[in-house]
Amino acid sequence: MKLGFFTMPIHPIDKDWRQCLREDQDAFILADQLGFSEGYVGEHSTDLAENITSCSLFLATLIGSTKQIKLGTGTVNLPNSHPARIAAEIAMLDHLLDGRLIFGISPGGLPSDAEAFGSLGADRAAMFVEAIDQVLEIWRSDPPYNIRGKFWTVSTEKTMIPDIGQGFLPKPLQRPHPPIVVTVVAPFSKGVAEAAARGWDPISANFLMPVWVRSHWPGYVEGCNRAGRPALAANWRVAKSIFVADDEATAKAYATAPDSPYRFYYNQLLTKMKRAGRAELFKTDRGQSDESVTLDDVCDKLILYGTPDQVAEKILQFREETGDFGTLLYAGHDWQDPALARRSMVLMAEEVMPRVNAAIGASLHQADAA
Protein backbone atom coordinates (compact mmCIF):
# COMPACT_ATOMS: atom_id res chain seq x y z
CA MET A 1 0.00 0.00 0.00
CA LYS A 2 1.31 3.44 -0.96
CA LEU A 3 0.97 6.53 1.20
CA GLY A 4 -0.37 9.76 -0.22
CA PHE A 5 -1.82 13.03 1.04
CA PHE A 6 -5.18 14.68 0.45
CA THR A 7 -6.38 17.93 1.94
CA MET A 8 -9.60 19.81 1.65
CA PRO A 9 -8.32 22.11 4.33
CA ILE A 10 -10.84 23.39 6.88
CA HIS A 11 -9.35 26.12 9.06
CA PRO A 12 -10.85 28.27 11.81
CA ILE A 13 -12.50 31.20 10.05
CA ASP A 14 -10.72 33.74 12.26
CA LYS A 15 -7.25 32.32 11.57
CA ASP A 16 -4.96 34.48 9.44
CA TRP A 17 -5.35 33.36 5.83
CA ARG A 18 -1.62 33.72 5.17
CA GLN A 19 -0.83 31.38 8.05
CA CYS A 20 -3.37 28.82 6.80
CA LEU A 21 -1.91 28.83 3.31
CA ARG A 22 1.68 28.57 4.54
CA GLU A 23 0.83 25.65 6.81
CA ASP A 24 -0.93 23.90 3.93
CA GLN A 25 2.15 24.44 1.78
CA ASP A 26 4.38 23.13 4.55
CA ALA A 27 2.28 19.97 4.79
CA PHE A 28 2.90 19.20 1.10
CA ILE A 29 6.59 19.99 1.38
CA LEU A 30 6.88 17.66 4.37
CA ALA A 31 4.92 14.95 2.55
CA ASP A 32 7.39 15.21 -0.33
CA GLN A 33 10.37 14.94 2.02
CA LEU A 34 8.84 11.89 3.72
CA GLY A 35 8.31 10.04 0.45
CA PHE A 36 4.53 10.35 0.13
CA SER A 37 3.76 9.20 -3.42
CA GLU A 38 1.16 11.84 -4.30
CA GLY A 39 -0.71 14.79 -2.81
CA TYR A 40 -4.04 16.41 -3.65
CA VAL A 41 -5.67 19.68 -2.66
CA GLY A 42 -9.29 20.76 -3.02
CA GLU A 43 -10.76 24.13 -3.91
CA HIS A 44 -13.75 26.26 -2.94
CA SER A 45 -14.29 29.93 -3.67
CA THR A 46 -17.00 30.93 -1.19
CA ASP A 47 -16.02 29.38 2.14
CA LEU A 48 -13.97 31.12 4.82
CA ALA A 49 -12.99 27.79 6.38
CA GLU A 50 -12.20 25.90 3.16
CA ASN A 51 -10.07 28.75 1.93
CA ILE A 52 -8.00 27.41 -0.95
CA THR A 53 -9.84 29.01 -3.84
CA SER A 54 -7.86 27.43 -6.70
CA CYS A 55 -6.14 24.07 -6.41
CA SER A 56 -4.16 24.71 -9.62
CA LEU A 57 -2.82 28.01 -8.35
CA PHE A 58 -1.96 26.48 -4.98
CA LEU A 59 -0.09 23.57 -6.58
CA ALA A 60 1.87 26.03 -8.72
CA THR A 61 3.32 27.50 -5.51
CA LEU A 62 4.83 24.07 -4.71
CA ILE A 63 6.70 23.56 -7.97
CA GLY A 64 10.10 24.67 -6.70
CA SER A 65 9.79 23.28 -3.19
CA THR A 66 8.81 19.67 -4.00
CA LYS A 67 10.89 17.12 -5.87
CA GLN A 68 9.33 13.69 -6.22
CA ILE A 69 5.70 13.81 -5.08
CA LYS A 70 3.03 13.79 -7.78
CA LEU A 71 0.65 16.68 -7.23
CA GLY A 72 -3.06 16.44 -7.94
CA THR A 73 -5.93 18.84 -8.31
CA GLY A 74 -8.36 17.47 -5.78
CA THR A 75 -10.49 18.61 -7.50
CA VAL A 76 -11.05 21.19 -10.21
CA ASN A 77 -14.78 21.95 -9.97
CA LEU A 78 -15.42 21.95 -13.70
CA PRO A 79 -18.79 23.75 -13.91
CA ASN A 80 -17.27 26.83 -12.27
CA SER A 81 -14.92 27.67 -15.19
CA HIS A 82 -14.83 27.70 -18.97
CA PRO A 83 -13.38 24.47 -20.43
CA ALA A 84 -10.88 26.39 -22.56
CA ARG A 85 -9.52 28.08 -19.45
CA ILE A 86 -9.25 24.77 -17.61
CA ALA A 87 -7.53 23.05 -20.55
CA ALA A 88 -4.98 25.85 -20.86
CA GLU A 89 -4.20 26.08 -17.14
CA ILE A 90 -3.87 22.33 -16.59
CA ALA A 91 -1.65 21.98 -19.66
CA MET A 92 0.66 24.72 -18.39
CA LEU A 93 0.73 23.27 -14.88
CA ASP A 94 1.67 19.84 -16.24
CA HIS A 95 4.64 21.39 -18.05
CA LEU A 96 5.68 23.39 -14.99
CA LEU A 97 5.65 20.18 -12.93
CA ASP A 98 7.59 18.22 -15.55
CA GLY A 99 4.72 15.74 -15.81
CA ARG A 100 4.18 15.28 -12.07
CA LEU A 101 0.53 16.34 -12.35
CA ILE A 102 -2.61 14.27 -11.69
CA PHE A 103 -5.82 15.86 -12.95
CA GLY A 104 -8.60 15.47 -10.38
CA ILE A 105 -12.05 16.58 -11.48
CA SER A 106 -15.56 16.86 -10.05
CA PRO A 107 -18.85 18.74 -10.48
CA GLY A 108 -18.18 20.55 -7.18
CA GLY A 109 -20.34 20.09 -4.12
CA LEU A 110 -20.48 23.47 -2.34
CA PRO A 111 -23.88 25.13 -2.92
CA SER A 112 -22.59 28.65 -2.29
CA ASP A 113 -19.99 28.18 -5.04
CA ALA A 114 -22.75 27.11 -7.43
CA GLU A 115 -24.83 30.14 -6.51
CA ALA A 116 -21.89 32.53 -6.90
CA PHE A 117 -21.02 31.11 -10.34
CA GLY A 118 -24.63 31.15 -11.51
CA SER A 119 -25.21 27.40 -11.70
CA LEU A 120 -27.34 26.82 -8.60
CA GLY A 121 -30.27 24.72 -9.77
CA ALA A 122 -28.54 23.86 -13.06
CA ASP A 123 -27.72 20.32 -14.12
CA ARG A 124 -24.16 20.44 -12.84
CA ALA A 125 -23.60 16.76 -13.64
CA ALA A 126 -24.34 17.53 -17.29
CA MET A 127 -22.09 20.59 -17.10
CA PHE A 128 -19.33 18.43 -15.64
CA VAL A 129 -19.56 15.88 -18.47
CA GLU A 130 -19.63 18.55 -21.17
CA ALA A 131 -16.71 20.41 -19.61
CA ILE A 132 -14.38 17.40 -19.41
CA ASP A 133 -15.41 16.26 -22.91
CA GLN A 134 -14.46 19.68 -24.26
CA VAL A 135 -11.17 19.78 -22.34
CA LEU A 136 -10.19 16.39 -23.75
CA GLU A 137 -11.28 17.41 -27.25
CA ILE A 138 -9.09 20.51 -27.03
CA TRP A 139 -6.10 18.38 -26.08
CA ARG A 140 -6.54 15.83 -28.85
CA SER A 141 -7.44 18.22 -31.68
CA ASP A 142 -5.73 20.99 -33.60
CA PRO A 143 -7.02 24.50 -34.24
CA PRO A 144 -9.08 26.14 -35.45
CA TYR A 145 -11.44 24.75 -32.84
CA ASN A 146 -15.17 24.54 -33.29
CA ILE A 147 -16.37 22.68 -30.19
CA ARG A 148 -19.99 23.39 -29.39
CA GLY A 149 -22.11 22.23 -26.47
CA LYS A 150 -25.15 23.17 -24.47
CA PHE A 151 -23.20 25.22 -21.93
CA TRP A 152 -19.99 26.33 -23.65
CA THR A 153 -18.46 26.91 -27.08
CA VAL A 154 -14.75 26.79 -27.88
CA SER A 155 -13.73 28.38 -31.17
CA THR A 156 -10.78 30.23 -32.67
CA GLU A 157 -11.99 30.05 -36.28
CA LYS A 158 -12.46 33.79 -36.71
CA THR A 159 -9.21 34.95 -35.14
CA MET A 160 -6.60 32.28 -35.81
CA ILE A 161 -3.26 33.36 -37.30
CA PRO A 162 -1.33 30.10 -37.83
CA ASP A 163 2.00 31.67 -38.82
CA ILE A 164 2.44 33.40 -35.48
CA GLY A 165 0.74 30.80 -33.30
CA GLN A 166 -2.40 32.75 -32.48
CA GLY A 167 -5.49 30.67 -31.80
CA PHE A 168 -3.71 27.60 -30.40
CA LEU A 169 -4.66 26.15 -27.01
CA PRO A 170 -1.74 24.35 -25.31
CA LYS A 171 -1.51 20.61 -24.79
CA PRO A 172 -0.20 19.01 -21.59
CA LEU A 173 3.24 17.44 -21.33
CA GLN A 174 1.81 14.00 -20.53
CA ARG A 175 0.11 12.54 -23.58
CA PRO A 176 -2.65 12.22 -24.30
CA HIS A 177 -3.23 13.92 -20.94
CA PRO A 178 -2.33 13.64 -17.24
CA PRO A 179 -3.92 10.74 -15.33
CA ILE A 180 -7.49 11.62 -14.40
CA VAL A 181 -9.03 10.84 -11.02
CA VAL A 182 -12.45 11.59 -9.56
CA THR A 183 -13.46 11.98 -5.94
CA VAL A 184 -16.32 9.74 -4.89
CA VAL A 185 -18.47 10.97 -2.01
CA ALA A 186 -21.78 9.13 -2.43
CA PRO A 187 -22.69 5.64 -1.23
CA PHE A 188 -23.12 3.21 -4.12
CA SER A 189 -21.99 5.95 -6.51
CA LYS A 190 -23.03 5.49 -10.12
CA GLY A 191 -20.43 8.02 -11.13
CA VAL A 192 -17.54 5.73 -10.16
CA ALA A 193 -18.65 3.22 -12.82
CA GLU A 194 -18.92 5.91 -15.48
CA ALA A 195 -15.51 7.27 -14.54
CA ALA A 196 -13.92 3.83 -14.66
CA ALA A 197 -15.45 3.20 -18.07
CA ARG A 198 -13.67 6.32 -19.31
CA GLY A 199 -10.32 5.12 -17.95
CA TRP A 200 -10.31 7.26 -14.83
CA ASP A 201 -9.63 6.10 -11.26
CA PRO A 202 -11.44 6.87 -8.00
CA ILE A 203 -10.58 8.57 -4.72
CA SER A 204 -12.99 7.61 -1.95
CA ALA A 205 -13.49 10.52 0.43
CA ASN A 206 -12.30 10.47 4.04
CA PHE A 207 -15.72 11.54 5.35
CA LEU A 208 -17.51 8.35 4.29
CA MET A 209 -18.31 5.48 6.60
CA PRO A 210 -16.35 2.30 5.74
CA VAL A 211 -19.50 0.53 4.52
CA TRP A 212 -20.01 3.24 1.89
CA VAL A 213 -16.34 3.22 0.91
CA ARG A 214 -16.68 -0.50 0.28
CA SER A 215 -19.67 0.18 -2.00
CA HIS A 216 -17.41 1.97 -4.50
CA TRP A 217 -15.43 -1.10 -5.53
CA PRO A 218 -18.24 -2.98 -7.38
CA GLY A 219 -18.98 0.15 -9.41
CA TYR A 220 -15.33 0.51 -10.30
CA VAL A 221 -15.19 -3.12 -11.41
CA GLU A 222 -18.33 -2.66 -13.51
CA GLY A 223 -16.90 0.38 -15.29
CA CYS A 224 -13.54 -1.27 -15.91
CA ASN A 225 -15.24 -4.36 -17.33
CA ARG A 226 -17.27 -2.17 -19.65
CA ALA A 227 -14.08 -0.54 -20.91
CA GLY A 228 -12.23 -3.85 -21.22
CA ARG A 229 -9.53 -2.87 -18.75
CA PRO A 230 -8.49 -4.68 -15.56
CA ALA A 231 -9.96 -3.47 -12.29
CA LEU A 232 -6.86 -3.18 -10.12
CA ALA A 233 -7.01 -2.43 -6.41
CA ALA A 234 -3.68 -0.65 -6.91
CA ASN A 235 -5.56 2.10 -8.77
CA TRP A 236 -8.06 2.75 -5.97
CA ARG A 237 -7.21 5.56 -3.57
CA VAL A 238 -8.93 5.93 -0.21
CA ALA A 239 -8.59 8.97 2.05
CA LYS A 240 -8.72 8.74 5.84
CA SER A 241 -8.47 11.15 8.79
CA ILE A 242 -5.51 9.96 10.84
CA PHE A 243 -3.53 11.31 13.77
CA VAL A 244 -0.45 9.56 15.16
CA ALA A 245 1.45 10.50 18.33
CA ASP A 246 4.22 8.98 20.40
CA ASP A 247 1.81 8.27 23.23
CA GLU A 248 -1.87 7.36 23.40
CA ALA A 249 -2.92 10.23 25.67
CA THR A 250 -1.55 12.88 23.34
CA ALA A 251 -3.17 11.23 20.34
CA LYS A 252 -6.57 11.01 22.00
CA ALA A 253 -6.49 14.59 23.25
CA TYR A 254 -5.48 16.10 19.90
CA ALA A 255 -7.98 14.02 17.91
CA THR A 256 -11.00 14.15 20.21
CA ALA A 257 -10.86 17.15 22.59
CA PRO A 258 -13.63 19.75 22.23
CA ASP A 259 -11.22 22.13 20.49
CA SER A 260 -9.61 19.41 18.34
CA PRO A 261 -8.94 20.40 14.72
CA TYR A 262 -10.29 17.00 13.73
CA ARG A 263 -13.52 17.55 15.62
CA PHE A 264 -13.78 21.05 14.13
CA TYR A 265 -13.35 19.58 10.66
CA TYR A 266 -16.18 17.09 11.07
CA ASN A 267 -18.45 19.62 12.75
CA GLN A 268 -18.10 21.84 9.69
CA LEU A 269 -18.79 18.96 7.31
CA LEU A 270 -21.68 17.51 9.28
CA THR A 271 -23.36 20.92 9.47
CA LYS A 272 -22.99 21.41 5.71
CA MET A 273 -24.11 17.93 4.76
CA LYS A 274 -27.17 18.02 7.00
CA ARG A 275 -28.15 21.40 5.55
CA ALA A 276 -27.70 20.04 2.02
CA GLY A 277 -29.71 16.89 2.76
CA ARG A 278 -26.64 14.65 2.49
CA ALA A 279 -26.31 13.35 6.04
CA GLU A 280 -26.39 9.82 4.60
CA LEU A 281 -22.62 10.02 4.17
CA PHE A 282 -22.25 9.84 7.94
CA LYS A 283 -24.79 7.10 8.56
CA THR A 284 -24.03 3.45 9.08
CA ASP A 285 -27.47 2.43 7.84
CA ARG A 286 -29.62 4.09 5.20
CA GLY A 287 -32.65 3.80 7.46
CA GLN A 288 -31.01 5.91 10.15
CA SER A 289 -32.62 9.33 10.71
CA ASP A 290 -30.67 12.52 10.09
CA GLU A 291 -31.36 13.64 13.64
CA SER A 292 -29.66 10.57 15.08
CA VAL A 293 -26.36 11.35 13.36
CA THR A 294 -24.23 13.02 16.03
CA LEU A 295 -20.81 14.62 15.90
CA ASP A 296 -19.55 12.24 18.58
CA ASP A 297 -20.51 9.21 16.50
CA VAL A 298 -19.02 10.67 13.34
CA CYS A 299 -15.69 11.45 14.99
CA ASP A 300 -15.60 8.08 16.72
CA LYS A 301 -16.06 6.20 13.45
CA LEU A 302 -14.06 8.35 11.04
CA ILE A 303 -10.91 9.42 12.91
CA LEU A 304 -8.11 6.90 13.34
CA TYR A 305 -5.78 7.98 16.14
CA GLY A 306 -3.26 6.48 18.52
CA THR A 307 0.35 5.34 18.70
CA PRO A 308 2.01 3.89 15.59
CA ASP A 309 1.08 0.35 16.64
CA GLN A 310 -2.51 1.32 17.34
CA VAL A 311 -2.97 3.26 14.11
CA ALA A 312 -1.42 0.49 12.01
CA GLU A 313 -3.86 -1.97 13.56
CA LYS A 314 -6.79 0.37 12.90
CA ILE A 315 -5.76 0.84 9.26
CA LEU A 316 -5.60 -2.90 8.76
CA GLN A 317 -9.05 -3.25 10.32
CA PHE A 318 -10.35 -0.48 8.03
CA ARG A 319 -8.89 -2.34 5.06
CA GLU A 320 -10.70 -5.49 6.18
CA GLU A 321 -13.96 -3.51 6.12
CA THR A 322 -13.42 -1.85 2.74
CA GLY A 323 -11.40 -4.39 0.81
CA ASP A 324 -7.94 -3.93 -0.65
CA PHE A 325 -6.91 -0.57 -2.11
CA GLY A 326 -3.64 0.72 -3.50
CA THR A 327 -3.04 4.13 -1.89
CA LEU A 328 -4.01 5.40 1.55
CA LEU A 329 -4.38 9.18 1.43
CA TYR A 330 -3.59 10.79 4.77
CA ALA A 331 -6.14 13.60 5.13
CA GLY A 332 -4.78 17.01 6.00
CA HIS A 333 -6.31 19.01 8.86
CA ASP A 334 -5.62 22.38 10.42
CA TRP A 335 -2.23 22.56 12.13
CA GLN A 336 -3.54 23.71 15.51
CA ASP A 337 -0.25 22.46 16.97
CA PRO A 338 2.32 22.46 14.15
CA ALA A 339 4.80 20.31 16.07
CA LEU A 340 2.24 17.58 16.73
CA ALA A 341 0.85 17.80 13.19
CA ARG A 342 4.30 17.38 11.70
CA ARG A 343 5.16 14.57 14.08
CA SER A 344 2.01 12.73 13.07
CA MET A 345 3.02 12.80 9.41
CA VAL A 346 6.55 11.64 10.25
CA LEU A 347 5.26 8.75 12.35
CA MET A 348 2.76 7.86 9.65
CA ALA A 349 5.45 7.58 6.99
CA GLU A 350 8.29 6.13 9.03
CA GLU A 351 6.53 3.84 11.51
CA VAL A 352 2.88 3.21 10.64
CA MET A 353 3.16 2.37 6.94
CA PRO A 354 6.07 -0.08 7.36
CA ARG A 355 3.96 -1.94 9.94
CA VAL A 356 0.92 -1.92 7.66
CA ASN A 357 2.83 -3.18 4.65
CA ALA A 358 4.64 -5.83 6.67
CA ALA A 359 1.28 -7.16 7.84
CA ILE A 360 -0.18 -7.08 4.33
CA GLY A 361 2.89 -8.87 2.98
CA ALA A 362 2.68 -11.52 5.68
CA SER A 363 -1.00 -12.17 4.98
CA LEU A 364 -0.36 -12.44 1.24
CA HIS A 365 2.48 -14.88 1.90
CA GLN A 366 0.21 -16.98 4.08
CA ALA A 367 -2.50 -16.94 1.41
CA ASP A 368 -0.01 -18.02 -1.26
CA ALA A 369 1.27 -20.82 0.96
CA ALA A 370 -2.26 -22.07 1.54
Side-chain angles (χ1 to χ4, degrees):
M1 183 187 295
K2 293 180 181 179
L3 176 63
F5 183 74
F6 189 109
T7 189
M8 181 182 71
I10 297 182
H11 300 287
I13 61 175
D14 57 352
K15 188 172 181 176
D16 189 289
W17 194 7
R18 295 166 297 177
Q19 182 181 353
C20 295
L21 294 171
R22 288 167 186 157
E23 288 177 357
D24 292 330
Q25 289 172 320
D26 287 345
F28 276 86
I29 294 167
L30 179 58
D32 179 61
Q33 294 168 347
L34 291 171
F36 282 56
S37 62
E38 53 195 37
Y40 302 84
V41 62
E43 65 178 21
H44 288 303
S45 297
T46 61
D47 195 302
L48 292 177
E50 300 181 43
N51 53 21
I52 289 182
T53 59
S54 167
C55 51
S56 298
L57 178 58
F58 180 84
L59 293 181
T61 70
L62 299 170
I63 292 167
S65 54
T66 59
K67 304 303 178 186
Q68 60 84 30
I69 192 171
K70 294 181 180 179
L71 296 176
T73 57
T75 56
V76 175
N77 301 321
L78 296 183
N80 298 350
S81 299
H82 195 287
R85 182 70 174 178
I86 295 168
E89 287 186 352
I90 293 299
M92 182 179 73
L93 185 57
D94 193 36
H95 281 265
L96 287 169
L97 283 166
D98 287 327
R100 281 194 287 135
L101 180 66
I102 300 173
F103 186 25
I105 58 175
S106 77
L110 189 65
S112 55
D113 275 6
E115 182 179 5
F117 289 108
S119 59
L120 187 65
D123 188 345
R124 290 176 63 84
M127 295 177 74
F128 165 77
V129 171
E130 180 174 306
I132 189 57
D133 284 347
Q134 290 192 354
V135 168
L136 295 175
E137 179 62 23
I138 288 167
W139 287 342
R140 65 174 162 254
S141 62
D142 295 317
Y145 311 99
N146 185 14
I147 306 170
R148 300 185 179 275
K150 178 180 179 181
F151 305 102
W152 298 282
T153 295
V154 181
S155 173
T156 58
E157 288 183 321
K158 296 179 181 178
T159 55
M160 183 177 175
I161 308 176
D163 292 349
I164 64 169
Q166 179 172 303
F168 290 73
L169 282 160
K171 301 184 189 301
L173 179 64
Q174 299 175 82
R175 298 297 180 92
H177 52 73
I180 296 177
V181 298
V182 294
T183 51
V184 190
V185 298
F188 299 98
S189 169
K190 295 180 180 178
V192 70
E194 299 305 315
R198 284 173 169 253
W200 310 337
D201 293 319
I203 296 175
S204 296
N206 60 298
F207 44 85
L208 279 169
M209 292 296 174
V211 63
W212 307 137
V213 174
R214 187 180 187 90
S215 76
H216 295 164
W217 179 250
Y220 181 64
V221 172
E222 176 200 333
C224 287
N225 289 342
R226 205 189 313 162
R229 69 185 187 109
L232 303 176
N235 294 332
W236 185 18
R237 299 159 172 90
V238 176
K240 199 67 182 168
S241 294
I242 298 170
F243 180 72
V244 196
D246 291 290
D247 64 272
E248 184 177 2
T250 299
K252 182 176 182 179
Y254 195 77
T256 69
D259 64 345
S260 162
Y262 288 74
R263 191 174 177 87
F264 171 74
Y265 177 95
Y266 281 106
N267 182 62
Q268 291 283 113
L269 282 181
L270 182 59
T271 301
K272 291 173 182 177
M273 293 303 177
K274 279 189 172 181
R275 181 69 64 89
R278 301 181 66 191
E280 182 183 35
L281 306 184
F282 299 111
K283 298 177 182 179
T284 55
D285 183 283
R286 282 182 148 178
Q288 187 179 351
S289 68
D290 288 2
E291 294 73 24
S292 68
V293 179
T294 68
L295 179 59
D296 286 339
D297 287 341
V298 168
C299 291
D300 181 61
K301 292 181 173 65
L302 293 182
I303 303 170
L304 304 184
Y305 65 86
T307 64
D309 281 334
Q310 291 171 326
V311 171
E313 183 177 345
K314 291 177 181 181
I315 290 171
L316 291 168
Q317 176 58 41
F318 175 69
R319 181 174 173 268
E320 286 293 318
E321 296 179 78
T322 62
D324 190 20
F325 53 89
T327 302
L328 176 63
L329 298 176
Y330 178 104
H333 294 272
D334 180 71
W335 280 15
Q336 183 188 79
D337 185 320
L340 288 178
R342 286 178 174 273
R343 182 61 178 163
S344 177
M345 291 180 66
V346 171
L347 291 171
M348 184 69 194
E350 297 182 352
E351 297 195 28
V352 175
M353 288 308 293
R355 287 169 168 81
V356 168
N357 282 318
I360 292 173
S363 64
L364 290 175
H365 179 74
Q366 291 170 358
D368 290 341

